[in-house]
Amino acid sequence: MFSLLGGIFMGWSLGSNDASNCFGSAVASRMVRFWTAAVLCAFFVLLGALLEGQAGIDTLAGLTQIDLEQAVVITIAAAVTVTLMTVFGLPVSTSQAAVGAILGIGFFNQEINLAGLGKVVACWFGTPIGAVVVCAVLYKLLAYVYNRLPLSVIRADILLRVGLIVAGSYASYALGANNVANTTAVFVGAGTLTVFQAALIGGLSIGFGVLTYSRKVMETVGGKLVRLDPFSALMVILAEGLTVHFFTVVGVPVSTSQAVVGAVLGVGLVRGVNTIKRKTLYGIFTGWFLTPPVACFIALCIDFAIHLRYIPR
Amino acid sequence: MFSFLFKKEQQLETLIYQYLENLTRTQEHFVKAMETCLDEGLCGEFGFLIDQTHKFESKADEIKEEVNVLMYSRALIPESREDIMNLLEQVDSIPRIFELILHLIRTQKLKIPEIIKLDVKDLIRLSVESCELMIKQIDLMMKNRQGIRALMATIDHNESHCDHIERSLMTKVFDSDLDKVDKLQLKELIIALGEISDQADRVSKRVNIMTLKRRV
């Protein structure tokens, strides 16, 4: 049980950070109460993890052969990477941190499933690009329908509000289904947990993070999305959920933050406006390229350090 | 089906329509008071109608306050909240102008001279027509129906016409043999009367922008 703490901590930190990608805009703009959003998000994260978390867990568990000690090293290295990148103010993906750390141990063991790794890296590129396309198509399609709906001002408002709650719940489901692998997949690879146990513990730890520490992030980071109009914010969350869910079916954990950034760019593409500043984009790309090698390096260092032996002269 | 989940929004819709209904009542009493003033001068009936106008103006303030309280208790999405609050704030200037005009006449014991009576009646008729069109425009916006731009064009046209009458009234007053104090008092009244159509025009343009903003 003690060895699982690293994974549980990863899940907790993932939940506290990534809940804002699902309900941030609704909570920050006071459309939905924090506790309503947090309970819905935690419930759907757990549901997603239990119902569709297996594919991602299988992919990460199959990247390399590891033992329990190495599984603990991976979770610690990933958690340290996430903390370090956050301290330096760089947007970070827990999926990239987890895979980077697994790769570090894989290098150490000289055993890496290259086909699996290729699939994961391809999906990392596919996440923001896919979200841009999904959001642009969704926006065009649903804007056409929305503009023709015979709805009063109040009813249109209700529709957008309900839409944000439904889309937020769906994005939470996708978050749980996709990202649960980052927290506990390595323990399945090490033979400590079954897939169901991993999904349950991972889902619960992410949900715990949402319930205990996501408020601040939802109210501040989530506020960034509020600058979009409510319809665009709805499209962004829906596109994020669909993109992340697609990669869940493919079986690769991806970053919900990168999906959100892609979707926001998609809105900008359709409306012909700059939705994200160039400086923010540089930060995102830096985080995107740095996270895997940093996690890999930290995992190697920790593994090397615990294998050091004192030899008296 | 899920209407029980959105009681606040339904309550809000009812309150907005109550507000518009109340504005119509205020306007009716203002018109009656002005007609009485023009035909019979300051009399008991005029006093009664001023009190009635004041009663409806106060009621409008109460409804607006209720709407604001509902908005702050998270009814509607923030963007709509801001739009509706600003809109009601602008519309609310109109009953205030009605009351201001009537009190101006009562406290300054104004007598409207024969030479301008017809023009004043014309100015009131056009201003009130603009207000009615503005209420109709808000109703169309609330129901998401067509015709908002056409109404805005008519209100704009009325406003230009009112400006023309206002200038003509000023010229008539200052060309007359009236006492200087009377002239200044009448100038104040004419400016206040002209403000009605100006404000209706401002509201109408805001409604048009709100409608354009809602399109995605």
Side-chain angles (χ1 to χ4, degrees):
Chain A
M1 183 63 198
F2 192 68
S3 56
L4 292 176
L5 281 179
I8 291 171
F9 176 65
M10 265 287 280
W12 177 83
S13 131
L14 199 153
S16 56
N17 276 295
D18 286 7
S20 70
N21 293 333
C22 307
F23 278 103
S25 55
V27 171
S29 60
R30 299 175 185 274
M31 277 185 255
V32 182
R33 283 172 209 275
F34 167 74
W35 279 110
T36 313
V39 170
L40 278 172
C41 185
F43 173 75
F44 281 101
V45 158
L46 182 62
L47 196 70
L50 290 174
L51 294 181
E52 287 192 74
Q54 180 169 1
I57 291 174
D58 286 343
T59 304
L60 286 202
L63 277 184
T64 185
Q65 292 293 317
I66 49 169
D67 55 31
L68 179 61
E69 187 185 89
Q70 288 172 329
V72 175
V73 169
I74 288 168
T75 52
I76 292 172
V80 169
T81 307
V82 170
T83 312
L84 264 181
M85 302 291 271
T86 310
V87 166
F88 286 110
L90 290 169
V92 60
S93 154
T94 46
S95 309
Q96 287 183 325
V99 172
I102 293 171
L103 282 183
I105 298 300
F107 284 135
F108 198 82
N109 291 348
Q110 293 180 331
E111 192 182 321
I112 295 173
N113 173 359
L114 285 175
L117 180 64
K119 184 173 141 184
V120 169
V121 175
C123 291
W124 285 351
F125 280 98
T127 307
I129 297 167
V132 170
V133 176
V134 171
C135 193
V137 173
L138 264 183
Y139 193 103
K140 279 267 179 198
L141 205 72
L142 294 183
Y144 180 83
V145 177
Y146 179 79
N147 283 334
R148 278 157 187 79
L149 284 176
L151 291 172
S152 69
V153 169
I154 306 282
R155 301 226 173 256
D157 202 276
I158 290 174
L159 182 76
L160 284 177
R161 242 176 138 179
V162 172
L164 275 165
I165 294 173
V166 172
S169 302
Y170 174 61
S172 306
Y173 176 87
L175 170 73
N178 188 283
N179 278 202
V180 70
N182 300 333
T183 63
T184 45
V186 284
F187 298 102
V188 177
T192 318
L193 296 175
T194 64
V195 171
F196 177 78
Q197 285 170 334
L200 182 68
I201 295 171
L204 284 174
S205 57
I206 299 173
F208 187 60
V210 174
L211 291 171
T212 54
Y213 209 69
S214 66
R215 184 169 206 150
K216 206 174 159 190
V217 190
M218 274 204 210
E219 285 172 354
T220 53
V221 179
K224 283 181 185 170
L225 277 183
V226 180
R227 283 188 216 126
L228 297 172
D229 62 278
F231 183 82
S232 301
L234 173 62
M235 291 306 106
V236 165
I237 296 167
L238 211 54
E240 174 215 341
L242 282 168
T243 310
V244 173
H245 195 184
F246 171 78
F247 288 111
T248 305
V249 176
V250 173
V252 175
V254 291
S255 163
T256 51
S257 309
Q258 286 164 9
V260 166
V261 171
V264 172
L265 284 172
V267 168
L269 200 72
V270 175
R271 295 174 55 188
V273 287
N274 282 333
T275 40
I276 295 183
K277 287 180 193 158
R278 195 168 283 199
K279 200 179 161 192
T280 315
L281 265 183
Y282 285 145
I284 290 161
F285 277 117
T286 312
W288 202 84
F289 282 108
L290 276 184
T291 306
V294 167
C296 179
F297 178 71
I298 292 174
L300 276 170
C301 288
I302 297 174
D303 205 46
F304 181 73
I306 58 172
H307 286 103
L308 279 178
R309 294 284 179 269
Y310 174 66
I311 305 167
R313 286 184 182 180
Chain B
M1 188 179 168
F2 295 106
S3 55
F4 65 94
L5 287 173
F6 299 98
K7 269 186 190 163
K8 277 182 196 166
E9 281 76 8
Q10 285 165 350
Q11 211 179 329
L12 186 71
E13 195 168 18
T14 314
L15 279 173
I16 291 171
Y17 278 109
Q18 256 181 38
Y19 181 88
L20 294 179
E21 177 65 30
N22 193 72
L23 179 62
T24 310
R25 295 282 89 80
T26 319
Q27 191 180 285
E28 281 168 7
H29 283 88
F30 167 74
V31 173
K32 272 186 204 163
M34 284 308 289
E35 278 168 359
T36 312
C37 166
L38 286 164
D39 296 339
E40 297 160 34
L42 302 181
C43 57
E45 176 70 5
F46 180 69
F48 169 75
L49 288 165
I50 289 183
D51 292 343
Q52 287 296 303
T53 312
H54 173 71
K55 200 179 87 184
F56 284 107
E57 197 271 337
S58 304
K59 177 83 181 153
D61 281 343
E62 279 169 30
I63 300 173
K64 194 171 67 100
E65 209 41 52
E66 262 187 84
V67 170
N68 285 351
V69 169
L70 258 181
M71 296 279 200
Y72 284 117
S73 62
R74 299 179 191 221
L76 299 188
I77 53 179
E79 211 170 69
S80 312
R81 251 179 249 167
E82 194 188 334
D83 276 348
I84 290 184
M85 277 165 91
N86 287 338
L87 177 74
L88 285 189
E89 199 56 54
Q90 277 203 341
V91 176
D92 205 45
S93 302
I94 293 175
R96 264 185 254 141
I97 300 172
F98 290 157
E99 213 187 358
L100 176 98
I101 292 168
L102 296 179
H103 280 290
L104 202 101
I105 295 172
R106 180 154 73 178
T107 49
Q108 297 186 6
K109 298 179 178 58
L110 265 181
K111 263 194 82 178
I112 298 168
E114 282 299 327
I115 44 157
I116 61 165
K117 267 188 183 171
L118 274 177
D119 279 347
V120 168
K121 279 185 180 173
D122 222 19
L123 184 57
I124 293 170
R125 183 186 56 78
L126 271 172
S127 301
V128 166
E129 191 187 302
S130 287
C131 289
E132 280 164 1
L133 292 175
M134 176 201 79
I135 292 172
K136 200 172 163 191
Q137 198 193 22
I138 296 173
D139 180 49
L140 287 181
M141 181 199 71
M142 292 296 292
K143 289 175 179 154
N144 192 23
R145 300 237 171 94
Q146 300 290 313
I148 288 172
R149 277 183 76 86
L151 286 174
M152 183 182 75
T154 317
I155 294 170
D156 187 49
H157 180 259
N158 278 1
E159 192 265 338
S160 302
H161 198 167
C162 284
D163 280 351
H164 177 75
I165 300 173
E166 204 182 322
R167 277 193 295 272
S168 144
L169 275 168
M170 288 289 193
T171 312
K172 278 184 186 168
V173 167
F174 284 96
D175 283 350
S176 70
D177 299 329
L178 291 166
D179 183 70
K180 274 185 182 164
V181 175
D182 291 340
K183 282 180 184 175
L184 290 176
Q185 282 179 329
L186 287 169
K187 178 188 163 191
E188 198 183 349
L189 175 73
I190 294 162
I191 290 172
L193 282 169
E195 189 57 27
I196 301 172
S197 64
D198 287 346
Q199 190 59 24
D201 189 47
R202 278 182 216 117
V203 173
S204 150
K205 283 179 177 135
R206 181 166 202 100
V207 170
N208 189 46
I209 288 169
M210 278 172 73
T211 315
L212 292 175
K213 256 174 78 180
R214 274 173 39 79
R215 284 188 69 81
V216 291

